[in-house]
Amino acid sequence: MISASARTHPAFAYLRARRARPATWSDRYTSVFGLLVAAAVLGRPVAEALAGLAHDADPARLGPGLALVAAAYAGFLALARALGPVVLPAADAAWLVTSPLPRRAVLGRTALLLVAVAVLAGAALGLTALSVFGAPGQLGVRLAAALVLGVAAGVGGMAAAVLGQQSPASDARLQLLIAGALSAAVLAAVLGAGPARRILAAVAEAPASLGAAVAGVASVVAAFLVRRAWVALDRIPARRILASSTRTARVTSAATTLDPGMLTWVAEESHWRGRALRSRPWPRLVSRLGAAPALAWQEWLRVGRRPGRLAALLGAAALPAVCANATGGGSGLVAAMLLCGALTAAAMCTGGVRRDGGDPALARMLAVDGRAATAARAVLPALLAASWSALALAGLQAAGTLPAGAWWALGPAAAPALAAGALRMARRRPVDHSMPVIDTPGGAVPTGPLIWALTGVDLALLGSLPALAALVSRPASVAPYVAAQLVAGAAVLAAYILRRSRENRP
């Protein structure tokens, strides 16, 4: 109960004024007009997509497709956990959360927004799962069951994320749920290509009534979790809401100002803030090699202190093979996924380069030769890129997407070029929004974000042309392409190191 003196707090007047403001005719007109425009734009594509669901399931694609759905659900839960999910604008979080207002009254709009996001995400997951399993008969019943099941999974997962924000025990259960979804994705990808293919085919051919029953049970479980999450809104500690609101405000600011580089800084600060790190002596070999390897050793320590992220990165090497089997993607899609994944693996360990790029004065005070420092810092990105791409190529070959041959050798051969591209990406400046806008037949293209996005990618693409050509053409012998890739990758990395040494910066 709230005392009468507490009800005189200015926050009560603010909340009552916000609630009492009636919707004007312009608000109603804008809402109705927006819904009509969305229906006109999305009506035909949605109708065609729904009509395309009436097909028989392909047994070869059931396992990979289900793996992608499970991985997407795990990503949805992880994103909800990372963002809060209960957040408020920074000013409201600093004022209203610490006021004597009822917590549910303050967080009511946020709760409605979370429900809307969960419903949309769950509906998308349900439709994706239905497109994998197909609906050869009773399309209406199967479609309704898939939508109900997907919405229940989305809403229940969001409720579990809200409960996880309340207490560490609930957060541990949420992490187990995420790990379970990832394990289901791995099992579906591995077993779906072999002994479990018949089981998945039997599930796809099950009667529609069974899917409706499963959707009903999922709805009951989701309703129970939503009820618990609504009760938990009053018990979420204010410090957690404030921390989530501050983190989300930074992410939103980075997104609205089109500076995606800030997102990685936000993630790094959120991870390392409040952690006590043990002091360990450096290996004698690193100390004896000189200043440049010692400067690069910090990246090895950062990777070693986050083994979970490294394991997730190596596990993601199976995604190209899973996507190729699930979607029947062509050679161009496979090559693009390999390039993006390997470049991401290389860019994961360039935090020190980014810090030196943002503070060049400190970098010059270290008095380290630029050529030696760049060469030392390129070792770890090249190693991670080589490992990831070799695993991904081996997975594609095991899945039958690539012909026989030493395709895995393209990964280590392209690793130097990918490392050079990752180092160049780490040194790029924020987006320059003052650059001109180019009018093209497809619309206006702002050159500032375009140049920012291509910085570093262009170098990796240029140095990986032989490997990409081999993946697109898929020749009978891959050995000439491996030799050409070795030369191209080494030349690109050498040219980048020489250019950095001329600038006299590590």
Side-chain angles (χ1 to χ4, degrees), residues 47-453:
E48 293 178 353
L50 294 179
L53 295 176
H55 63 83
D56 294 329
D58 186 359
R61 297 183 181 180
L62 283 177
L66 186 59
L68 289 179
V69 173
Y73 186 62
F76 167 74
L77 295 178
L79 181 61
R81 178 177 178 269
L83 293 180
V86 179
V87 295
L88 284 174
D92 290 350
W95 183 44
L96 296 179
V97 173
T98 57
S99 69
L101 281 171
R103 188 64 59 81
R104 294 181 194 170
V106 175
L107 303 176
R109 289 190 175 184
T110 301
L112 291 177
L113 180 60
L114 292 179
V115 170
V117 172
V119 167
L120 293 176
L125 286 175
L127 290 177
T128 305
L130 185 61
S131 66
V132 172
F133 285 95
Q138 298 180 341
L139 177 60
V141 178
R142 293 180 183 272
L143 176 61
L147 287 176
V148 172
L149 183 60
V151 170
V155 174
M158 186 66 75
V162 173
L163 292 173
Q165 195 174 3
Q166 174 196 359
S167 64
S170 299
D171 184 63
R173 287 191 288 269
L174 176 60
Q175 295 183 37
L176 288 178
L177 181 60
I178 297 174
L182 290 176
S183 301
V186 173
L187 288 176
V190 174
L191 300 180
R197 180 178 296 183
R198 295 182 179 179
I199 300 177
L200 294 177
V203 172
E205 296 175 358
S209 58
L210 179 60
V214 173
V217 174
S219 300
V220 173
V221 175
F224 172 74
L225 291 176
V226 168
R227 174 61 181 172
R228 289 195 58 193
W230 178 251
V231 174
L233 285 179
D234 276 340
R235 304 173 184 173
I236 299 178
R239 66 179 185 278
R240 294 185 179 176
I241 298 179
L242 293 175
S244 301
S245 301
T246 303
R247 183 169 58 250
T248 305
R250 293 179 179 177
V251 173
T252 305
S253 175
T256 53
T257 56
L258 293 179
D259 188 9
M262 286 295 297
L263 300 178
T264 55
W265 285 123
V266 172
E268 286 291 329
E269 291 178 0
S270 300
H271 176 79
W272 295 111
R273 186 184 294 114
R275 293 178 179 265
L277 301 178
R278 292 177 295 176
S279 178
R280 298 176 180 176
W282 283 12
R284 295 182 179 179
L285 179 62
V286 175
S287 303
R288 293 176 180 176
L289 289 178
L295 188 64
W297 179 245
Q298 59 177 327
E299 299 296 345
W300 294 78
L301 291 177
R302 290 165 69 93
V303 172
R305 284 169 172 164
R306 303 187 69 176
R309 188 172 68 164
L310 183 61
L313 174 69
L314 296 179
L319 283 178
V322 173
C323 292
N325 287 341
T327 62
S331 56
L333 177 62
V334 171
M337 292 187 64
L338 286 172
L339 178 63
C340 293
L343 192 57
T344 301
M348 192 184 73
C349 49
T350 56
V353 180
R354 290 187 60 194
R355 186 196 62 245
D356 291 347
D359 192 358
L362 178 62
R364 291 191 180 97
M365 290 176 62
L366 296 175
V368 181
D369 179 67
R371 180 184 304 176
T374 304
R377 280 175 160 168
V379 174
L380 183 58
L383 180 62
L384 288 181
S387 303
W388 192 94
S389 54
L391 288 175
L393 288 168
L396 286 169
Q397 192 171 10
T401 305
L402 296 177
W407 287 90
W408 61 269
L410 286 175
L418 295 171
L423 294 176
R424 178 172 165 82
M425 289 173 59
R427 289 189 174 274
R428 58 187 172 186
R429 299 300 179 184
V431 179
D432 186 4
H433 297 288
S434 64
M435 299 187 69
V437 177
I438 302 176
D439 292 329
T440 63
V445 177
T447 56
L450 181 63
I451 293 177
W452 184 92

